[in-house]
């Protein structure tokens, strides 16, 4: 493809600005003409604003020929509907945008709806009219809610009325057909079925044959938060939109976008450009609300920043009929959110001439963009408002919540009189995005489920070696079984279960509330025994502590007693162990042991009887029960909440401690009558491993269960954990009970009887047993996202507000592998550490080093400034300083930067420049610290994070961590041990500086500040 091409963009809004910005990045484009453009577009690289009559097709075509324009991109639909593409094609100029006949898919809604029907494209039921009385009769007699009234022609985005009732729909019909509210555009009206659901936009590039879709986006039409107030041209958007499932996206590609392009081609109407499908996600799948024949606004402004490919190359391929999927690639695991700033009076009117401030501040931020919709420049160069929608602030981030927070923060930062903007853009999608993409795991909180499963496999042979006559089964089930008859006794099977309470004890200890964890202890053991159909008979406890506190211990044992009463079993004994060397003062641990009995013929699970079609009945939980608390505590830390704070999810105003310490339900008394009825085939206790790992423990091979989460109440605490913690669907289902503390399986003919016997537990049918096919998961949960979202959305605003807090902008200077850089990246991108900073630039004085690859993998901009190209240190440092300032850096970290900095640079960044040294300063300064440590024979060394001064390794000490030195150490071994300490200490020091807990005084000493 030739370089030095010229292109023309027709239009002058935010959409056209985003297109111009993206095209300017192409090495094939030399000049970008824009007509009429706006002041913001005019500031982009390669852009020239021109004044031609864009409504005069011939004038535009002749101008393009004269200027040797290679490609014309048409933004607004009105020019396509007038045939601009036809005029350009006639003289051999490529146009990215369809001809007039294809633009009818947007310009004529009557034609478009008929086209959808002809080609079996899913859409709302409808009928068109030119007579108002006939239209009103249809509204009143249609077998569906015919409450959507559309002017068939182009009405500047204002020709759609979504009525609340028949009267409003009839009034809209009269306005359009009788009163001629939209002129010629309203001579025909389309009356449509009112669909309910979420609206999503799906756009695609096409050359008339091939369709390459973009990620789905969601626009926000109403002027005010919560979708209140009048409609607008769009107050913001985000992408990708997670409300369309993967299957639904594929369906839209094939059943909507490809069908439309194929249908147009069959009717000899080639479509070249962007095809936009406005969709409603209905219970019956996505349906088309409308087609547009061009890029959407504001969707374009959040889609194009995610495009990795050369936009010019893609557009040329569309025009030349050579489009293929490999030409289009996107940034992965990145979300974009855009917030429109509108002028005073919008949408009824607009205010012009207000001075806009703060735009350049936002543009300097990493992954932040500002696209202009309606701006102008004053005679003295000030940026002014010049329309209803003024600008859009766009931010990219690894999570949708963070992208929304950054975009909203940017919108708040930009100032002009009368500014309006929504603070809830993207909030609808945040819950679903967390369920799909949430990265916080149980493992990240220190609990490795896979390791636990592996341990069972490793120890099984050893455990089996202890078997004696009477042992039944092996480890891995809910309880241990012993056949007393086989051992020579005339008694039934004994079932034993043992468990603890886990880190829920940490909460009890911190809250000084010990009376409920004893109930948990009993529950965890006896519920496991119940899983084998056994009635719990007796219980023993084990209480271990550092120092025995009679008050604490008595509260715990009273809880055990209460648990035994609820379980109907005897507390026959226990053990108290006081071990000061094992536990810290005030800490304790618990273990419990339950023994139950069951007749061998009644032993559960009856795996040989469970079959396809059996019913799964759920027993509601009381809360988190006693599993997943390491993750719960991590989420609480992420939320910066105390156990004494009122829980934001509590429906009764209880504190976090009170809500989280709700005891585990004991199902004995409600289950025993069911067990004796012989109606059930299995009972599974939902403990560690959640729904997806506990239910398979009672199933035979080759069968699984299909559960419907809409059938049970997913408790508010789980929505809070998922949203605030960023815990995805898979991790929620394999860590928590999600509202179901146990399940029973029975035959369909016993369903009603079992549910009735369990009515005290509010039991409900939640699924079916199914034969597994095609590697389907053994536990499949449908409608989980929908069930969770209603609770999750209650906390979205708080989450976004917390994420909107400004982060200190950090630049890191490196020379090599960047292991300390990686530690800083991991810490700043981990929300649980709350570092209060983000790395916005990494500069290396050497090219090709591993540290640069680490930064690029994390999506952090990099810059190579080779010191060998400079004659002196200060000249090099000045260019480094300029790049740091350009990126908005506030703190500079040296991470293996092998250059001595000039006095100029150190003084420029004094108090904001830190380094890490591999020894415990002030000992062993210089480049050979590890060798010096070994030569002097010291027994302790470590690392030091310090402020940088002109004298090497002499600045005020911020953080230190020690490591031992062993007689057998070499420099290499010691270096690796110290490096691990460095990876912990450096992020801690950065957090202290970023959170302003410390600052460097003028005299070079360290000042510690009090926490708020």
């Amino acid at each position: 493809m030739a370089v030095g091409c010229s292109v023309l963009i027709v239009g002058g809004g935010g959409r056209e600005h985003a297109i111009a910005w993206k095209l300017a990045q192409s090495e094939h484009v030399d000049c970008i003409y824009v007509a009429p453009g706006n002041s913001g577009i005019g500031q982009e690289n390669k852009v020239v604003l021109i004044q031609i009559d864009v409504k005069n097709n011939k004038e535009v075509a002749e101008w393009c020929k004269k200027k040797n324009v290679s490609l014309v991109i048409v933004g607004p639909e009105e020019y396509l509907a007038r045939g601009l593409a036809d005029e350009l094609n006639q003289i051999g100029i490529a146009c990215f945008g369809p001809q007039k006949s294809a633009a009818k898919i947007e310009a004529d809604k009557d034609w478009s709806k008929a086209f959808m029907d002809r080609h079996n494209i899913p859409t709302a039921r409808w009928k068109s009219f030119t007579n108002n009385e006939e239209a009103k009769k249809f509204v009143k007699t249609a077998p569906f809610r015919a409450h959507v009234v559309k002017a068939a022609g182009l009405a500047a985005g204002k020709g759609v009325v979504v009525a609340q009732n028949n009267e409003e729909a009839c009034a809209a019909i009269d306005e359009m057909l009788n009163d001629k509210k939209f002129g010629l555009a309203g001579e025909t009206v389309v009356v449509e079925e009112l669909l309910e659901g979420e609206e999503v936009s799906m756009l695609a590039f096409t050359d008339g044959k091939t369709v390459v879709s973009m990620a789905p986006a969601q626009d926000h039409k109403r002027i005010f938060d919560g979708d209140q107030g009048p409609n607008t041209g769009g107050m913001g958007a985000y992408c990708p939109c997670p409300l369309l499932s993967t299957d639904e996206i594929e369906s839209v590609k094939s059943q909507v976008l490809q069908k439309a392009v194929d249908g147009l081609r069959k009717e000899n109407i080639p479509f070249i450009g962007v095809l936009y499908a406005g969709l409603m996600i209905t219970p019956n799948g996505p349906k088309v609300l409308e087609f547009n024949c061009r890029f959407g606004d504001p969707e374009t402004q959040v889609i194009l920043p995610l495009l990795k490919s050369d936009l010019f190359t893609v557009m040329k391929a569309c025009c030349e009929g050579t489009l293929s999927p490999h030409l289009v690639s996107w940034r992965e695991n990145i979300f974009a959110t855009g917030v429109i700033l509108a002028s005073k009076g919008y949408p009824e009117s607009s205010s012009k001439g207000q001075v806009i401030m703060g735009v350049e501040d936002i543009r300097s931020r990493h992954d932040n963009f500002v696209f202009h919709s309606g701006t102008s420049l004053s005679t003295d160069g000030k940026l002014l408002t010049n329309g209803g929608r003024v600008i859009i602030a766009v931010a990219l981030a690894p999570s949708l919540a963070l992208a929304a927070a950054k975009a909203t923060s940017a919108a708040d930062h930009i100032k002009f009189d009368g500014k309006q903007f929504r603070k809830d853009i993207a909030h609808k999608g945040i819950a679903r995005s967390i369920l799909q993409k949430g990265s916080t795991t149980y493992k990240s909180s220190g609990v490795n489920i896979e390791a636990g499963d592996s341990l069972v496999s490793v120890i099984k042979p050893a455990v089996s070696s202890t078997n004696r006559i009477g042992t039944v089964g092996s480890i891995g089930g809910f309880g241990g079984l012993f056949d007393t008859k086989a051992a020579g006794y005339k008694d039934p099977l004994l079932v034993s279960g043992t468990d603890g309470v886990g880190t829920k004890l940490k909460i009890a200890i911190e809250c000084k509330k010990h009376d409920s964890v004893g109930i948990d202890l009993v529950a965890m053991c006896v519920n496991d025994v119940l899983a084998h159909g056994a009635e719990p008979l007796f219980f023993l406890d084990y209480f271990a502590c550092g120092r025995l506190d009679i008050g604490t211990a008595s509260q715990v044992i009273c809880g055990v007693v209460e648990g035994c009463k609820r379980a109907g079993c005897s507390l026959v004994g226990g053990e108290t162990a006081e071990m000061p060397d094992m536990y810290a003062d005030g800490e304790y641990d618990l273990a419990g042991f339950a023994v139950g009995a069951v007749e061998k013929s009644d032993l559960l699970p009856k795996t040989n009887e469970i079959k396809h079609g059996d019913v799964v009945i759920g027993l509601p939980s009381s809360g988190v029960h006693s599993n997943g608390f390491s993750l719960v505590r991590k989420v609480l830390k992420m939320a910066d909440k105390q156990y004494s704070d009122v829980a934001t999810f509590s429906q009764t105003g209880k504190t976090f401690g009170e809500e989280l310490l709700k005891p585990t339900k004991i199902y004995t008394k409600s289950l025993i009558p069911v067990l004796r009825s012989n109606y059930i085939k299995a009972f599974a206790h939902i403990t560690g491993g959640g729904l997806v790992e506990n239910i398979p423990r009672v199933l035979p091979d080759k069968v699984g269960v299909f559960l419907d989460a809409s059938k049970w109440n997913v408790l508010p605490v789980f929505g809070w954990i998922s949203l605030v913690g960023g815990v995805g669907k898979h991790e929620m289902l394999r860590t928590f009970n999600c509202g179901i503390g146990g399940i029973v399986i029975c035959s369909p003919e016993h369903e009603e009887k079992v549910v009735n016997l369990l009515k005290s537990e509010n039991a409900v049918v939640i699924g079916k047993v199914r034969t597994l096919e095609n590697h389907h998961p053994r536990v499949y949960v449908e409608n989980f996202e929908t069930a969770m979202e209603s609770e999750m959305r209650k906390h979205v605003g708080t989450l976004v507000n917390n994420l909107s807090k400004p982060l200190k902008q950090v630049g890191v200077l490196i020379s090599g592998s960047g292991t300390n850089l990686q530690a800083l990246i991991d810490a700043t991108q981990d929300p649980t550490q709350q570092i209060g900073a983000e790395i916005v630039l990494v500069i290396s004085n050497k090219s090709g080093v591993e540290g640069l690859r680490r930064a690029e993998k994390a999506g952090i901009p990099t810059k190579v400034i080779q010191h060998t190209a400079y004659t002196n240190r200060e000249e090099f440092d000045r260019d480094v300083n300029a790049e740091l300032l350009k990126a908005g850096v506030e703190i500079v970290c040296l991470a293996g930067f092998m250059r001595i900095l000039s006095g100029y640079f150190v003084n420029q960044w004094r108090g904001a420049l830190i380094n890490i040294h591999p020894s415990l300063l002030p000992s062993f300064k210089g480049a050979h610290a590890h060798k010096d440590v070994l030569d002097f024979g010291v027994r302790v060394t470590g690392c030091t994070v310090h402020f940088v001064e002109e004298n090497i390794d002499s600045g005020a000490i911020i953080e230190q961590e020690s490591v031992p030195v062993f007689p057998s150490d070499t420099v290499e071994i010691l270096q690796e041990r110290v490096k691990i300490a460095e990876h912990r200490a450096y992020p801690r020091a950065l957090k202290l500086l970023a959170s302003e807990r410390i600052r460097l005084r003028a005299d070079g000493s360290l000042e510690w500040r009090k926490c708020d």
Side-chain angles (χ1 to χ4, degrees), residues 37 525 699 707:
C525 298
L699 298 176
L707 307 181

Side-chain angles (χ1 to χ4, degrees), residues 113 116 121-124 256 277-280 286-291:
K113 294 289 288 189
M116 288 185 245
I121 295 171
T123 187
V256 175
L279 306 164
M280 181 70 80
K287 293 189 178 183
V288 179
L289 296 174
E290 63 177 358
F291 277 118

Side-chain angles (χ1 to χ4, degrees), residues 463-574:
V463 173
S464 297
S465 69
T466 69
N467 285 358
R468 56 152 288 171
I469 295 173
T471 303
V472 178
S474 62
I475 61 171
F478 283 101
L481 281 64
F482 191 86
D483 186 345
T484 55
K485 187 176 181 180
Y489 296 90
K490 298 179 180 180
D491 292 319
L493 288 174
L494 294 182
V495 181
S496 63
T498 183
D499 211 331
V501 183
T503 53
K504 189 173 186 177
L505 290 178
K506 287 278 191 181
I507 301 177
I509 292 167
E510 290 189 43
C511 293
K512 295 181 171 55
K513 186 180 186 300
H514 312 285
D515 57 344
S516 61
V517 289
I519 301 172
D520 288 302
L521 183 67
V522 175
M524 296 302 290
C525 298
V526 299
N527 285 343
D528 280 355
V529 167
L530 284 170
H532 294 287
E535 179 180 6
L537 300 176
F538 60 87
F539 188 84
L540 299 96
D541 67 77
Y542 175 79
F543 180 93
C545 60
R547 180 183 63 83
L548 183 61
D549 180 278
I550 301 300
T552 297
S554 62
Q555 284 187 54
V556 172
I557 302 307
C558 284
V560 173
V561 169
E562 175 60 27
C564 288
K565 289 178 180 178
R566 296 183 186 186
C569 64
S570 298
L571 177 59
V572 297

Side-chain angles (χ1 to χ4, degrees), residues 924 928-938:
F924 306 112
H928 305 291
H930 299 309
K931 182 177 184 302
D932 293 342
V933 163
L934 295 176
D935 288 346
F936 276 85
V938 300

Side-chain angles (χ1 to χ4, degrees), residues 343-642:
S343 64
K344 183 179 181 180
Y346 182 76
E348 287 80 10
S349 62
S350 62
S351 180
K352 300 180 180 180
Q354 280 71 44
V355 176
I356 306 170
M357 295 177 291
V359 169
E360 290 307 313
D361 296 340
I362 302 304
R363 283 167 55 91
S364 69
R365 296 180 183 177
H366 173 53
D367 270 347
N368 276 253
F369 312 96
V370 177
F371 299 119
H372 294 233
S373 301
T375 63
S376 62
L377 291 176
S378 66
T379 54
D380 58 353
K382 292 180 179 177
L383 187 64
L384 305 176
T385 63
N386 190 38
R389 292 191 297 172
V390 180
I391 52 181
I392 183 170
V394 177
L396 310 187
S399 73
L400 182 55
L402 185 55
K406 287 186 171 184
T408 306
S409 175
D412 187 56
H413 181 83
I414 297 169
K415 306 295 183 186
F416 59 85
D417 289 343
K419 176 184 73 174
Q420 301 184 78
F421 71 96
R422 284 181 59 161
K423 297 180 177 65
D424 66 345
I425 301 300
H427 287 202
K428 291 180 183 178
I430 288 174
R432 186 72 62 92
S433 74
I434 288 172
L435 289 168
Q436 292 178 359
K437 300 284 188 178
S439 57
T440 304
T441 64
Y442 204 9
K443 185 176 181 179
S444 71
S445 65
V447 179
N448 190 331
I449 295 171
E450 288 86 356
D453 293 340
S454 299
L455 176 62
V456 171
S457 300
V458 169
I459 66 176
K460 257 188 178 180
V463 173
S464 297
S465 69
T466 69
N467 285 358
R468 56 152 288 171
I469 295 173
T471 303
V472 178
S474 62
I475 61 171
F478 283 101
L481 281 64
F482 191 86
D483 186 345
T484 55
K485 187 176 181 180
Y489 296 90
K490 298 179 180 180
D491 292 319
L493 288 174
L494 294 182
V495 181
S496 63
T498 183
D499 211 331
V501 183
T503 53
K504 189 173 186 177
L505 290 178
K506 287 278 191 181
I507 301 177
I509 292 167
E510 290 189 43
C511 293
K512 295 181 171 55
K513 186 180 186 300
H514 312 285
D515 57 344
S516 61
V517 289
I519 301 172
D520 288 302
L521 183 67
V522 175
M524 296 302 290
C525 298
V526 299
N527 285 343
D528 280 355
V529 167
L530 284 170
H532 294 287
E535 179 180 6
L537 300 176
F538 60 87
F539 188 84
L540 299 96
D541 67 77
Y542 175 79
F543 180 93
C545 60
R547 180 183 63 83
L548 183 61
D549 180 278
I550 301 300
T552 297
S554 62
Q555 284 187 54
V556 172
I557 302 307
C558 284
V560 173
V561 169
E562 175 60 27
C564 288
K565 289 178 180 178
R566 296 183 186 186
C569 64
S570 298
L571 177 59
V572 297
E575 169 72 8
T576 300
E578 193 171 14
M579 297 179 284
D581 292 338
M582 184 70 73
Y583 299 97
D585 192 21
E587 291 189 354
Y588 61 88
D589 199 4
L590 297 174
F593 310 89
V595 174
V598 60
E599 295 293 343
K600 185 178 290 187
S601 60
D602 296 332
L603 181 67
L604 295 181
K606 299 176 181 179
T607 53
N608 60 325
E609 296 181 18
I610 296 173
K611 61 180 183 296
H612 179 90
D614 281 348
V615 176
V616 181
I617 298 171
L619 305 181
S621 66
S622 58
V624 183
H625 281 186
S626 298
N627 293 101
F629 274 90
S630 294
L631 182 52
V632 170
R633 292 170 62 241
K634 179 173 183 174
V635 172
L636 208 67
K637 183 179 178 182
M638 292 169 68
D640 197 23
K641 295 294 185 182
Q642 305 297 318

Side-chain angles (χ1 to χ4, degrees), residues 673-973:
V674 186
L675 296 176
R676 290 172 175 166
S677 71
N678 288 319
Y679 290 148
I680 69 172
K681 302 178 180 182
F683 167 68
H685 180 203
I686 309 306
T687 62
L691 289 164
V692 298
E693 297 198 7
N694 281 291
I695 297 176
R697 295 165 72 181
V698 301
L699 298 176
D701 293 338
K702 298 181 181 179
V703 302
V705 296
F706 279 53
L707 307 181
D708 184 350
S710 68
K711 302 297 184 182
W712 78 82
N713 179 31
V714 178
L715 299 174
V717 62
F718 298 112
W720 181 84
I721 290 170
S722 178
L723 186 99
V724 175
V727 185
K729 171 184 176 181
H730 173 70
E731 199 66 24
M732 288 297 298
L733 288 171
R734 77 172 193 151
T735 303
F736 300 108
N737 65 63
C738 296
I740 294 295
I743 64 101
V744 297
I745 296 174
C746 67
S747 300
E749 59 266 26
H750 294 143
E751 173 189 324
E752 186 176 347
K753 293 177 181 177
V754 172
V755 170
N756 188 54
L757 285 169
L758 291 170
K759 61 184 178 182
S760 63
E761 294 290 348
N762 296 313
V764 62
V765 175
I766 63 171
K768 300 282 187 182
V769 175
R770 292 284 184 266
T771 302
L772 288 180
E773 296 178 359
N774 301 323
H775 307 289
H776 207 282
R778 298 199 75 188
V779 178
Y780 178 79
V781 184
E782 61 182 357
N783 295 320
F784 186 71
E785 293 94 336
T786 304
M788 287 281 286
E789 278 179 316
S790 61
E791 288 300 330
M792 293 175 72
R793 286 183 176 179
K794 295 175 183 177
H795 311 290
V796 166
T798 302
L799 174 66
V800 173
N801 286 339
N802 290 339
L803 292 172
S804 298
K805 295 174 183 176
L807 302 175
K808 291 290 185 182
Q809 310 289 283
V810 177
V812 183
L813 307 187
I814 65 169
S815 295
S817 63
T819 58
N820 273 318
L821 166 64
Q822 188 65 58
L824 293 174
I825 291 172
D826 293 343
T828 53
Q829 294 188 350
D830 179 359
T832 66
Q833 297 196 40
Q834 298 180 354
I835 300 296
E838 63 176 336
I839 302 173
V840 297
L841 180 64
V842 172
I843 297 178
S844 174
N845 66 315
K846 296 180 181 180
S847 61
V849 297
E850 179 63 24
L852 291 172
R853 287 187 282 273
R854 293 179 189 272
E856 289 160 2
K857 185 178 179 180
I860 299 169
T862 61
K863 184 80 176 180
V864 176
I865 305 177
Q866 294 186 332
H867 65 277
T868 54
Y870 295 84
T871 57
N872 60 66
R873 277 192 296 143
E874 186 169 320
E875 182 184 348
F876 167 75
D877 287 354
R878 285 185 181 275
D879 278 3
V880 171
N881 183 56
E883 289 295 334
L884 292 170
L885 293 175
K886 181 180 175 183
V889 167
E890 300 168 275
I891 296 173
V892 178
C893 295
L894 308 182
F897 186 61
M898 307 305 291
R899 297 287 300 163
I900 297 175
L901 294 165
S902 65
Y904 157 80
F905 189 91
V906 171
N907 289 321
Q908 284 286 312
W909 291 95
R910 191 172 188 274
L913 177 62
I914 61 176
N915 187 29
I916 189 162
H917 181 74
S919 78
L920 295 175
L921 292 175
S923 299
F924 306 112
K925 298 180 179 180
H928 305 291
H930 299 309
K931 182 177 184 302
D932 293 342
V933 163
L934 295 176
D935 288 346
F936 276 85
V938 300
R939 302 309 305 271
V940 177
T941 184
C943 61
T944 303
V945 186
H946 62 93
F947 282 107
V948 176
E949 299 281 11
E950 285 193 62
N951 293 328
I952 295 175
D953 299 333
S954 64
I957 292 171
I958 302 171
E959 185 70 62
Q960 291 184 309
E961 183 165 332
S962 63
V963 301
V965 182
F966 299 113
S968 59
D969 279 346
T970 64
V971 168
E972 292 75 18
I973 292 172

Side-chain angles (χ1 to χ4, degrees), residues 91-123:
I91 61 171
I93 295 175
C95 180
F96 185 78
Q99 296 182 12
K100 183 176 181 178
S101 57
K104 287 172 66 178
I105 202 165
E106 176 176 1
D108 187 341
K109 293 178 179 61
D110 183 21
W111 184 91
S112 180
K113 294 289 288 189
F115 169 81
M116 288 185 245
D117 285 350
R118 289 197 298 276
H119 296 282
N120 296 315
I121 295 171
T123 187

